[in-house]
Amino acid sequence: MKCKKCGGKAVINMRQHNMGLCKDDFLQWLPEQMLKHIEKQKMFTPDEKILVAVSGGKDSLALWDMLQILGYQADGLYIALGIDEGISYSSESQRLTEEFAKARDLNLHVVNMTSDYGIDLPTLAKETKRGRDKPCSSCGLVKRHEMNRIARDFGYDVLATGHNLDDEAATLFSNTLQWNGDYLIRQHPVLAERDGLARKVKPLFRFYEREMAAYTLLRGIEYIYDECPFAEGSTSTQYKELLNQLEHEHPGAKIHFFTKFLSAKKKGLFAEPTTEIVPELHICPSCGQPTSALELCTFCRMMEKSK
Amino acid sequence: MKKTSTIILRDKKYEVKAGSTLRVALRRLEILPESVICVREGELITEDNIIKEGETIKLVSVISGG
Ligand code: SF4
Ligand SMILES: [Zn+2]
Ligand SMILES: [Zn+2]
């Protein structure tokens, strides 16, 4: 297959765009496209300070890499969860993230559950009995809380995560199967700053997971290839596989599913709830983050319970 | 005698016939090209490439969960 731009040998075929690209053209095209969507969606400007949530996986490292290439001011945040069951998942992903930052002289914040809170994530999930056999709901809660905390404490304007199109399409699929209106209303690549929480953006939302893997390989970025041991057999992985089957038969199915959802929403498919239903927010007396609870927020209650 | 060609995905090895395209080989193995990247001697290649005799193609899985 030939590169659509220069006629050289293509390294990737993107059937949804009807386009194959060679290494050099692909490595130029991807950050250019990202810039286009950052500007179109008004995610952030070059003057703003960005905090990138990095996991050591391909998406977040590629995101951080492209933000550097494009000249944005982006620091990283790694949250060490202490998931080292069998394979050294957390310690290895931390090592790769730290090496990435060091080699490029980037600023990386590290939050460590065990040393900062005295408990690792699997133990926390077990002791507070959240989410039966998987710690994923506690994990999501911890990540959200800590990202908001670091963004606020260090004055970042915006929080960027490495969610790609496959992540977003799988989430949309799941929320649609359950007609989860609250989540459908909120699912968007840009969430405005609200109640003192930083703006949240997903600059990779137009890219297939496959393109992100190709980018990291072509750039020679070392990332954690093994999945989190708790991700095995997760519904999001099942949905991704289903959507890929659909994509195989109908190239572009995934990107249309998500982008048409965004445009339908823009045209008013989902109405915002009237103000009466929006819960009134209070300030958590322990951590200072907004919460709908009258007392401690969910995170602080969970930490209390584990003591 | 013909040397066999190999496709590797994670810790699985598959023997495949040389002379057909990767697309055909992947279909026979029931692997969706959407979920992998094909690597030949460290270089990324597209699925229209023809498998050479005796070579090993590594597949990189692109789906990550969580
Ligand atoms: S699968 Fe994801 S959400 Fe669940 S524990 Fe692992 S990293 Fe956290
Ligand atoms: Zn080219
Ligand atoms: Zn709190």
Side-chain angles (χ1 to χ4, degrees), chain A residues 267-282:
Chain A
K267 286 184 202 145
L269 177 65
F270 301 99
E272 287 284 340
T274 55
T275 41
E276 294 100 78
I277 328 175
V278 178
E280 210 184 309
L281 292 179
H282 309 269

Side-chain angles (χ1 to χ4, degrees), chain A residues 145 284-289 296-301:
Chain A
H145 189 273
C284 169
S286 170
C287 70
Q289 287 193 22
L296 292 178
C297 73
T298 329
F299 176 85
C300 292
R301 246 185 298 141

